[in-house]
Amino acid sequence: MNHTADDVRRLVHDYAQRVWNDHDTSAVAEYAPEVTEFGGDETVTHATRAELVERVADVLTRIPDHRLTVGQVIVQGEQVVWEWRLTGTFHDDRGSFPVDAKGFTYWRVRDGRIVFRDGVMDLMAWVWQIKVTTRRIRLLMPV
């Protein structure tokens, strides 16, 4: 089944809303094939639907007020790149820390499912915000 660029843009927005803003971890499975591929080239890994649900649940436990804002979405066939901004409060055994991170996600979408996931975020700003480091450095890292 072929999807138009508008269908894929709608999928990105629906996914962001349902999974990351409504905190519906069960919705993760609706967008994933049985096994999803991550990364690229020599760093390819795989995750099952259940593992994806577990990963999202872990993030939402650590950031219970997680909000994701979708920016520009670019679609070319099965390929989609979209920018995002995450805000919320990160909690761990060291305390609670407000976070505000930006990044880009790269997906390959086939038959309404996200079959490949990759992306980048400003990971160094993230670790500075959650007080892992005391020095802020701007460096984009794969997610």
Side-chain angles (χ1 to χ4, degrees):
M1 170 190 253
N2 291 335
H3 294 281
T4 68
D6 286 339
D7 293 335
V8 175
R9 283 187 197 89
R10 206 168 9 266
L11 181 141
V12 169
H13 285 277
D14 290 348
Y15 181 89
Q17 182 60 46
R18 291 183 63 205
V19 172
W20 295 115
N21 295 335
D22 295 343
H23 301 189
D24 181 1
T25 57
S26 65
V28 175
E30 294 177 34
Y31 297 95
E34 187 56 41
V35 175
T36 299
E37 187 176 347
F38 284 85
D41 299 328
E42 68 278 350
T43 60
V44 171
T45 60
H46 298 86
T48 66
R49 281 188 189 131
E51 289 169 333
L52 286 175
V53 170
E54 191 175 300
R55 288 179 186 188
V56 169
D58 182 53
V59 171
L60 294 174
T61 297
R62 294 176 184 275
I63 311 172
D65 58 345
H66 188 291
R67 297 294 301 163
L68 192 73
T69 304
V70 176
Q72 186 174 5
V73 179
I74 301 168
V75 179
Q76 178 75 37
E78 292 184 341
Q79 319 300 319
V80 59
V81 176
W82 53 284
E83 61 182 341
W84 51 263
R85 180 178 182 190
L86 175 161
T87 57
T89 309
F90 178 84
H91 303 275
D92 71 5
D93 57 352
R94 299 171 303 113
S96 300
F97 310 95
V99 292
D100 187 340
K102 295 179 182 177
F104 294 90
T105 293
Y106 167 69
W107 284 347
R108 191 172 313 119
V109 176
R110 190 173 299 136
D111 297 326
R113 305 271 184 175
I114 305 158
V115 298
F116 177 88
R117 299 168 186 246
D118 202 356
V120 295
M121 70 176 287
D122 189 348
L123 189 58
M124 292 307 295
W126 174 268
V127 298
W128 173 75
Q129 290 174 13
I130 65 171
K131 310 293 188 238
V132 171
T133 183
T134 57
R135 184 169 176 222
R136 183 172 184 151
I137 301 168
R138 183 151 174 81
L139 177 68
L140 296 178
M141 299 293 291
V143 295

